[in-house]
């Protein structure tokens, strides 16, 4: 069953039940109030009769009862033996039980296929004739013919009005289902169109009231923005990556062709070609490796307690051994332990020291300190520095200030992009301070306790 039909059906059914309950309540309440009124009238009538009989016991006769009898009722008197010894009334066509009782009662007695009867039983002391001085039961009853026809009319009125009310309810259900389903339909349509045509179409939310459906549409639009942004980034990344791989591949290809043409007779060229192919292969493998790292670091890594002092000390030792250059580490007095991923943090420090060594010839200094629950790592070199307008761009993927120089030093333009991704994952910041001719300082700030999102 379609959602629209369901909404319409259930809302109409629900309203029908509500109307039935209300109408039944109205019907029953009306009946109760009316019968109470009839009984009250009958009680007054009975009291008046009793008064009259008390004042003048001798007048109690069939004729008196007929004149006191309600329009559709009768008056009877029963003695203790259970025999009716006097009765009177108008057109009496019903049968209600009459027993002797010393208690006053009032009730409505149901009749089969005939209007109900209101009955008052009242014990009185009889004052005349054979039964003078006896306690007898005086019964005054009245058939509720008018009420019966009123109730029938009321029944039909309520029935017809229920039917009339149902019409706008069914219409209302239709409007409600349309109101609810139109935005959902629009969403489905837009999604299908986006899928078929490869679009990034959004939903028009102008002039919409700010309800849950509006929120749903806004979330959809935000999701489209997010997906589009990510998709474009991925596209740029793939095109950048293939562009970067093109250079080493074309170098390898041109050396191979050169060797094919005149390599065999030229040992010098063979050597040169072998070296170039080897170094370009290294470059490609480094590029691919770094691209993988970049893709991997986008995902949350497991967190642990990392001792930054030990971590930096170990990385510095590796560089001192491998490059034989002066790398100084200015340690803090106490250890700094933060929550993070050890391998990733090591990679950040590695990238920064590696760059500092690559782009300078003098010593490199690393400083670690703690301030406001933040660990601060400074990596300083005394190299050529980075021009101010380039300082923000160097964190972009594949961006290099001096392409030729970076190529010579084996740079891929991915190191700082990787460092920035990792630092961001740790809810920290990375920035650079640099002056041409004086060198550069890369500053990494990392919160000691990161807000758990892993
Ligand atoms: P690369 O692999 O080329 O070093 P990076 O992303 O690590 O890639 O750095 C991007 C560019 O930023 C480098 O090509 C270089 O031009 C510049 N750069 C990075 N570190 C330094 C530094 N310490 N001194 C001068 N320039 C630097």
């Amino acid at each position: 069953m379609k959602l629209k039909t369901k909404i319409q059906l259930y809302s109409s059914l629900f309203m029908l039940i509500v109307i039935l309950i209300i109408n039944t309540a109205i019907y029953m309440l009306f009946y109760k109030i009316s019968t109470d009124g009839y009984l009250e009238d009958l009680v007054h009538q009975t009291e008046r009769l009793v008064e009259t009989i008390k004042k003048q016991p001798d007048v109690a006769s069939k004729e008196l009862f007929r004149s006191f009898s309600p329009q559709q009722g009768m008056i009877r008197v029963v003695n203790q033996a259970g025999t009716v010894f006097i009765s009177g009334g108008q057109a009496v066509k019903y049968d209600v039980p009459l027993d002797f009782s010393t208690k006053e009662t009032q009730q409505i007695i149901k009749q089969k296929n005939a209007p109900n009867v209101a009955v008052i039983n009242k014990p009185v002391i009889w004052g005349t004739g054979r039964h003078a001085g006896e306690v007898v039961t005086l019964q005054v009853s009245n058939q509720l013919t008018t009420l019966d026809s009123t109730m029938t009319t009321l029944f039909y009125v309520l029935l017809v009005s229920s039917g009339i009310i149902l019409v706008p309810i069914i219409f209302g259900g239709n409007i409600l289902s349309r109101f609810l389903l139109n935005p959902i339909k629009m969403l489905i349509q837009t999604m299908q169109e986006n899928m078929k045509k490869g679009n990034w179409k959004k939903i028009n939310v102008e002039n919409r009231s700010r309800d849950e459906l509006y929120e749903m549409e806004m979330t959809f639009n935000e999701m489209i923005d997010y997906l589009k942004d990510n998709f474009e980034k991925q596209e740029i990344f793939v095109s950048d990556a293939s562009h970067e791989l093109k250079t080493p591949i074309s170098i390898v290809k041109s050396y191979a062709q050169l060797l094919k043409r005149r390599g065999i007779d030229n040992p010098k060229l063979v050597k040169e070609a072998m070296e170039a192919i080897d170094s370009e292969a290294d470059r490609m493998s480094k590029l691919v490796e770094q691209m993988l790292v970049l893709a991997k670091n986008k995902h949350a890594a497991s967190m642990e307690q990392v001792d930054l002092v030990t971590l930096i000390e170990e990385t510095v030792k590796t560089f001192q051994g491998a490059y034989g250059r002066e790398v100084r580490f200015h340690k803090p007095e106490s250890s700094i332990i933060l929550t993070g991923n050890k391998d990733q943090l090591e990679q950040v420090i590695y990238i920064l020291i590696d760059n500092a060594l690559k782009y300078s010839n003098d010593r490199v200094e690393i400083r670690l300190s703690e301030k406001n629950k933040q660990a601060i790592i400074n990596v300083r070199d005394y190299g050529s520095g980075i021009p101010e307008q380039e300082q923000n761009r160097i964190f972009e993927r594949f961006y290099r200030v001096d392409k030729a120089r970076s190529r010579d030093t084996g740079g891929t333009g991915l190191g700082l992009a990787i460092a920035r991704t990792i630092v961001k994952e740790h809810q920290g910041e990375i920035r650079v301070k640099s002056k041409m001719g004086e060198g550069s300082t890369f500053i990494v700030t990392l919160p000691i306790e990161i807000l758990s999102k892993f």
Side-chain angles (χ1 to χ4, degrees):
M1 204 193 289
K2 277 194 161 185
L3 196 56
K4 186 179 171 206
T5 326
K6 271 190 203 165
I7 293 174
Q8 208 167 350
L9 184 72
Y10 292 143
S11 64
S12 305
L13 263 180
F14 176 74
M15 287 314 285
L16 183 68
I17 293 169
V18 171
I19 290 170
L20 279 181
I21 292 172
I22 292 174
N23 283 353
T24 315
I26 291 174
Y27 185 85
M28 283 165 62
L29 199 67
F30 184 82
Y31 181 76
K32 174 90 175 66
I33 292 170
S34 303
T35 49
D36 282 356
Y38 278 107
L39 281 172
E40 209 176 308
D41 278 354
L42 221 50
V43 167
H44 287 151
Q45 242 167 313
T46 313
E47 271 164 10
R48 268 193 286 124
L49 176 63
V50 171
E51 287 280 299
T52 314
I53 298 171
K54 259 190 198 164
K55 274 186 200 154
Q56 294 167 285
D58 297 338
V59 297
S61 66
K62 232 179 176 50
E63 285 68 37
L64 179 79
F65 281 6
R66 193 174 299 136
S67 67
F68 263 92
S69 159
Q71 234 180 359
Q72 303 290 325
M74 64 176 169
I75 300 172
R76 293 186 291 178
V77 186
V78 66
N79 63 10
Q80 286 183 24
T83 18
V84 178
F85 64 89
I86 182 162
S87 71
Q90 340 253 342
V92 179
K93 287 182 210 106
Y94 57 85
D95 182 31
V96 287
L98 173 60
D99 295 319
F100 172 78
S101 156
T102 49
K103 260 194 210 155
E104 184 176 338
T105 59
Q106 38 179 279
Q107 56 186 318
I108 300 291
I109 294 178
K110 297 221 166 7
Q111 298 287 300
K112 259 191 194 165
N113 305 323
N116 296 341
V117 181
V119 180
I120 305 292
N121 284 320
K122 191 172 172 73
V124 287
I125 298 167
W126 202 246
T128 180
R130 247 179 341 120
H131 300 280
E134 268 181 43
V135 178
V136 293
T137 300
L138 179 68
Q139 185 189 62
V140 182
S141 59
N142 188 18
Q143 194 163 34
L144 306 175
T145 320
T146 331
L147 179 65
D148 195 63
S149 65
T150 312
M151 289 315 290
T152 313
T153 316
L154 182 66
F155 176 78
Y156 286 113
V157 167
L158 291 178
L159 197 71
V160 172
S161 65
S162 303
I164 293 171
I165 293 172
L166 259 187
V167 177
I169 285 171
I170 293 171
F171 265 110
N174 195 356
I175 292 168
L176 179 77
S177 63
R178 254 191 236 173
F179 177 75
L180 282 177
L181 294 179
N182 273 359
I184 297 176
K185 263 194 199 160
M186 275 291 291
L187 188 73
I188 295 171
Q189 257 176 21
T190 317
M191 283 200 275
Q192 280 173 343
E193 198 184 314
N194 282 349
M195 264 179 350
K196 265 189 210 147
K197 297 185 184 167
N199 284 350
W200 299 105
K201 197 177 159 191
K202 293 201 262 181
I203 292 173
N204 185 2
V205 284
E206 264 175 40
N207 305 326
R208 290 266 294 112
S209 63
R210 294 171 188 227
D211 50 21
E212 282 85 350
L213 290 169
Y214 172 84
E215 259 174 53
M216 181 187 77
E217 290 168 339
M218 285 301 285
T219 312
F220 174 80
N221 287 351
E222 277 166 27
M223 191 185 75
I224 288 286
D225 277 340
Y226 177 77
L227 288 178
K228 190 179 172 206
D229 193 42
N230 256 342
F231 185 79
E232 283 170 356
K233 273 189 193 157
Q234 292 297 334
E235 262 187 344
I236 294 171
F237 181 66
V238 171
S239 83
D240 284 353
S242 45
H243 179 79
E244 291 299 319
L245 280 169
K246 241 190 222 159
T247 321
I249 289 172
S250 67
I251 293 174
V252 169
K253 179 126 182 99
S254 56
Y255 269 112
Q257 280 172 343
L258 207 61
L259 279 179
K260 233 183 3 196
R261 267 187 273 123
R262 13 185 209 107
I264 321 305
D265 322 317
N266 193 341
K268 203 174 147 220
L269 183 69
V270 172
K271 191 167 176 272
E272 188 189 320
M274 299 289 254
E275 272 167 11
I277 290 171
D278 187 42
S279 94
E280 289 309 308
D282 278 351
R283 196 175 149 67
M284 278 191 277
S285 86
K286 188 176 175 191
L287 206 61
V288 171
E289 199 181 295
Q290 285 199 319
M291 284 193 297
L292 281 176
V293 170
L294 201 57
K296 207 170 79 190
N297 281 333
K298 279 209 183 90
H299 305 295
S302 62
M303 294 284 150
E304 60 203 304
Q305 295 293 298
V306 182
D307 180 349
L308 274 186
V309 179
T310 319
L311 186 77
I312 296 175
E313 242 169 7
E314 279 168 8
T315 320
V316 165
K317 243 185 235 160
T318 319
F319 275 102
Q320 281 167 339
Y323 288 73
R325 291 260 306 268
E326 190 182 349
V327 184
R328 269 190 225 162
F329 178 32
H330 303 276
K331 283 199 267 188
E333 272 161 23
S334 56
S335 61
I336 298 176
I337 294 167
L338 59 72
T339 316
N341 183 276
K342 188 170 174 261
D343 293 341
Q344 289 185 336
L345 291 174
E346 190 177 358
Q347 201 168 5
V348 173
I349 295 155
Y350 185 94
I351 289 167
L352 295 182
I353 300 178
D354 187 44
N355 276 353
L357 289 169
K358 263 191 319 195
Y359 300 107
S360 79
N361 298 315
D362 206 339
R363 67 182 188 281
V364 170
E365 284 174 22
I366 298 126
R367 219 171 277 272
L368 174 65
S369 58
E370 190 186 335
K371 202 177 167 191
N372 301 333
K373 298 205 164 182
Q374 303 235 311
I376 303 162
I377 308 164
N378 281 283
V379 180
R380 171 147 183 49
D381 65 62
Y382 296 89
S384 53
I386 306 161
E388 210 174 323
Q389 67 275 17
E390 313 271 5
Q391 285 177 14
N392 265 333
R393 302 209 60 192
I394 53 171
F395 295 98
E396 289 171 16
R397 286 179 301 209
F398 300 113
Y399 191 82
R400 278 156 286 181
V401 176
D402 181 348
K403 279 224 172 212
R405 167 127 199 247
S406 172
R407 236 194 110 66
D408 293 343
T409 51
T412 57
L414 284 176
L416 288 177
I418 294 173
R420 187 177 62 170
T421 314
I422 297 174
V423 171
K424 265 193 180 171
E425 273 295 310
H426 285 75
Q427 295 166 20
E429 257 182 32
I430 181 165
R431 61 197 168 91
V432 64
K433 263 193 201 167
S434 182
K435 244 190 183 169
M436 291 304 283
E438 286 181 19
S440 320
T441 308
F442 283 82
I443 304 148
V444 176
T445 323
L446 295 163
I448 302 274
E449 278 298 329
I450 60 170
L451 299 169
S452 175
K453 62 164 186 165
F454 301 96

